[in-house]
């Protein structure tokens, strides 16, 4: 299978808790190569744009507030079957349902503050990667 990419964000809750290093260690141990990485604080406008697909959901306002509440680490990760394998590594969106040993089971506290984001399809991985990074950053 061709090597492909997924986009992750280490969210403000995990950054505040001092878990950047722990999460990156799990990501590398899971066989992912970090292709691009960026630490920054998204404004509300930027966070709102990233999650625009959820604009009609009841939790959208809360999600945008939270994702702009502190710095994040955005990264493009490369591996065969990257999207599906990364979703396995991070576990279910709700940490109460995340399998033991997954990143969300270890570091997330609630469905809203769930430590990490992972793309849900190859198409969205490409869109999300180009949201955070210029093409020259992903060579
Ligand atoms: P993420 O994978 O980043 O993509 C969309 C996010 O919306 C999701 O992780 C959750 O953090 C958030 N989310 C999903 N459902 C809820 C909910 N019921 N309440 C608050 N946030 C939610």
């Amino acid at each position: 299978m061709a090597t492909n990419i997924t986009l992750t964000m280490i969210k403000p809750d995990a950054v505040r808790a001092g878990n950047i290093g722990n999460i990156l260690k799990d990501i590398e141990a899971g066989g992912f190569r970090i292709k691009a990485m960026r630490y920054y604080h998204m404004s509300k406008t930027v966070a709102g744009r990233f999650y625009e697909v959820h604009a009609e959901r009841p939790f959208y306002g809360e999600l945008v507030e939270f994702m702009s509440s502190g710095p994040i680490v955005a990264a493009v990760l490369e591996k065969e079957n990257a999207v599906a394998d990364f979703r396995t590594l991070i576990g279910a969106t709700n940490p109460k349902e995340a399998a033991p040993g997954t990143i969300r089971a270890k570091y997330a506290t609630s469905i809203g503050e769930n430590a990490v984001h992972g793309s849900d399809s190859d198409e969205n991985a490409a869109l999300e990667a180009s949201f955070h990074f210029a093409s020259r950053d992903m060579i």
Side-chain angles (χ1 to χ4, degrees):
M1 192 182 295
T3 296
N4 54 15
I5 62 158
T6 192
L7 184 284
T8 189
M9 292 183 287
I10 301 176
K11 298 187 178 185
D13 58 326
V15 173
R16 276 194 282 276
N19 283 324
I20 294 175
N22 289 328
I23 292 171
L24 291 178
K25 193 166 183 215
D26 285 359
I27 289 172
E28 290 193 313
F32 293 85
R33 185 178 83 84
I34 296 167
K35 199 173 163 73
M37 187 158 66
R38 180 174 180 206
Y39 174 89
Y40 78 114
H41 191 150
M42 291 194 287
S43 66
K44 268 190 213 178
T45 305
V46 169
R49 189 67 63 84
F50 182 87
Y51 281 112
E52 208 164 37
V53 297
H54 296 305
E56 302 306 319
R57 304 276 193 103
F59 56 81
Y60 177 69
E62 193 184 319
L63 177 61
V64 170
E65 279 293 328
F66 167 60
M67 289 302 294
S68 58
S69 69
I72 58 143
V73 177
V76 178
L77 307 175
E78 189 175 54
K79 185 185 183 295
E80 278 182 16
N81 204 29
V83 167
D85 285 2
F86 192 68
R87 289 173 76 80
T88 301
L89 182 73
I90 66 181
T93 304
N94 185 345
K96 291 185 180 70
E97 293 161 12
T102 58
I103 290 175
R104 283 174 173 154
K106 291 198 283 187
Y107 305 117
T109 53
S110 69
I111 192 165
E113 305 208 355
N114 64 353
V116 283
H117 169 79
S119 306
D120 64 3
S121 66
D122 288 342
E123 187 189 2
N124 282 337
L127 289 171
E128 292 173 4
S130 64
F131 181 89
H132 288 292
F133 298 96
S135 57
R136 65 168 182 274
D137 297 325
M138 296 185 277
I139 292 168

